[in-house]
Amino acid sequence: MLSLLSLAFTLQAQAGIPTWTLTPAPSLTIQDDGTPATQFVRIMGLGRLSNGGIAIANRGTNDIRIFDARGRHVTTFGRTGSGPGEFRRIEWIGQAGDTAWFFDSGVQRVTTVLLSGKPQLLGTTALTATGNRERFYVTGRLPDGRFVVTTNVSPTFDGPPGAHRLPGSAGIVARSGDGNVTWLGEFKSATIFVHSPTGDVSGTSAGPIAFTPWLLVAASGGQIWVGDSAGDSVVVVRASDLSRVTVRLPLPRRAPGTALIDSVKAQELERATNPSSRAFTEAKHSKYLPERLPYFEALVAGSQGEVWVAAYAGQRANPTYYLVVDSNGRLRGRVNVPAGSRIRQAGLDYVILAHEDADGVESIRVHGLARR
């Protein structure tokens, strides 16, 4: 009954939100044409340049690939390594004009690159700030150059068996990367399942439950958006004075359906590489399925201080929609995206989708956006 009431409230609330539309066909597609430059593995972020080109951060090869406005590969910046202009594990990309910042969790630093023309390395910033919490990673950048950071979730193998909700923290680090982290608070993050069939640590497995919620954090304009995806609201923190408000989102409360559960379990079993991982998957699906799904799956920084909230779809292969919230916390529009696609950048009159087909092949699609 609660789910039905929640759905009724959501439909009523969403009825007043205009639906913004994407052009039926993309204006630009960058896809596998048989050349290495168009073969992507784990696209972690991208940015549209002032000349209409696209910069794509590809984690699989630890490089940044630049394409012109027609989708032709122009050049590649970076490679695997720890030296200047090299990357170990690209996690996040931020952009202002043609300047981009790339956070590398492998060496805990931010690399600044000018992407127009021939890419130029502008500098690197080591993140040495003291946090006295779990290791943190960058999830945003403020207009004054400070970085927004979020702590990792680190499950332990010697804890009590069963499912446990772990905490996460969001904070601000100086643009120089040093000093102390200014923490905004501790929030709930992932639910971790500890599977210990023998009671011996050596035989214990740990990892997120199916359909786990997460702590999601984004920076847009001068505000930081913090959301526990197990709930239907986000906390908006003004970076200038750390004042905050809570914005409720008209997203439905849903239970995981049988088809979704079976599909996710089958995929996890297919990826299992040994008997231990298969036993872990079987155990968590038989004992610790959540009663409801998360409300949302991503927070994407938009233009003019907007944040685009992706409704939880359960799997990348499923379609979803985004609720666009402006800097004052008002719902401005809803944007539907097709199956396999997720928005990676949202502008005033365009969006860039990262698409993954049934075979896991990744591509980029640019669509025009009509705000109605």
Side-chain angles (χ1 to χ4, degrees):
M1 178 61 72
L2 286 176
S3 294
L4 292 177
L5 290 175
S6 173
L7 180 59
F9 163 79
T10 300
L11 293 175
Q12 183 180 18
Q14 289 194 10
I17 304 173
T19 298
W20 298 350
T21 57
L22 304 182
T23 52
S27 59
L28 174 65
T29 300
I30 302 173
Q31 60 188 355
D32 187 355
D33 62 7
T35 62
T38 58
Q39 295 170 351
F40 303 108
V41 180
R42 298 296 304 277
I43 295 172
M44 294 309 298
L46 49 80
R48 194 177 197 183
L49 307 179
S50 59
N51 61 7
I54 307 290
I56 302 172
N58 188 65
R59 177 191 281 180
T61 48
N62 288 307
D63 56 31
I64 317 301
R65 303 175 187 182
I66 312 296
F67 296 81
D68 66 18
R70 296 184 178 182
R72 297 174 298 192
H73 180 244
V74 176
T75 189
T76 295
F77 176 89
R79 62 184 181 184
T80 298
S82 301
E86 298 176 336
F87 305 95
R88 285 292 179 188
R89 185 179 175 87
I90 300 173
E91 295 280 3
W92 168 87
I93 171 175
Q95 182 186 6
D98 287 340
T99 300
W101 294 266
F102 302 91
F103 172 62
D104 183 347
S105 65
V107 289
Q108 200 70 1
R109 75 181 177 201
V110 175
T111 297
T112 308
V113 183
L114 180 64
L115 296 173
S116 58
K118 182 179 180 181
Q120 301 176 50
L121 173 65
L122 299 182
T124 58
T125 303
L127 297 179
T128 60
T130 302
N132 296 321
R133 302 192 185 186
E134 296 284 351
R135 187 182 186 192
F136 58 80
Y137 56 99
V138 174
T139 51
R141 183 180 180 274
L142 297 168
D144 61 10
R146 290 179 294 166
F147 297 105
V148 176
V149 298
T150 309
T151 55
N152 287 329
V153 173
S154 301
T156 60
F157 294 88
D158 56 353
H164 312 280
R165 192 88 195 270
L166 299 185
S169 298
I172 302 174
V173 171
R175 64 185 302 167
S176 58
D178 55 7
N180 295 317
V181 180
T182 300
W183 292 112
L184 305 178
E186 187 173 272
F187 308 86
K188 292 181 178 180
S189 191
T191 300
I192 299 298
F193 172 49
V194 178
H195 180 53
S196 183
T198 65
D200 187 341
V201 173
S202 63
T204 298
S205 302
I209 65 168
F211 315 114
T212 181
W214 288 97
L215 173 63
L216 301 173
V217 180
S220 187
Q223 299 185 133
I224 303 163
W225 300 68
V226 183
D228 167 10
S229 66
D232 63 352
S233 61
V234 293
V235 176
V236 186
V237 182
R238 193 177 301 277
S240 58
D241 59 9
L242 302 186
S243 61
R244 61 190 66 193
V245 297
T246 299
V247 176
R248 188 178 180 190
L249 304 166
L251 293 168
R253 176 177 178 175
R254 297 179 297 133
T258 301
L260 179 60
I261 293 171
D262 291 345
S263 178
V264 168
K265 179 180 178 181
Q267 289 182 359
E268 291 188 16
L269 288 173
E270 185 177 349
R271 293 193 297 266
T273 58
N274 53 59
S276 176
S277 59
R278 289 184 63 87
F280 173 78
T281 299
E282 292 283 2
K284 78 175 184 179
H285 277 270
S286 64
K287 298 179 181 179
Y288 292 103
L289 282 175
E291 295 182 356
R292 67 183 184 186
L293 296 170
Y295 285 86
F296 52 93
E297 63 181 42
L299 302 176
V300 180
S303 60
Q304 299 180 337
E306 294 173 343
V307 161
W308 293 48
V309 183
Y312 189 79
Q315 290 179 298
R316 177 71 173 267
N318 295 334
T320 192
Y321 62 89
Y322 289 75
L323 296 179
V324 184
V325 187
D326 70 15
S327 59
N328 294 312
R330 296 174 299 193
L331 290 164
R332 308 299 296 182
R334 167 180 166 145
V335 179
N336 299 318
V337 298
S341 293
R342 295 296 184 265
I343 293 175
R344 287 304 181 90
Q345 188 173 72
L348 285 173
D349 59 359
Y350 72 91
V351 299
I352 306 180
L353 305 178
H355 181 78
E356 185 176 312
D357 67 17
D359 296 320
V361 178
E362 299 177 66
S363 61
I364 296 298
R365 301 174 181 181
V366 182
H367 286 262
L369 171 67
R371 295 171 176 246
R372 304 184 187 279

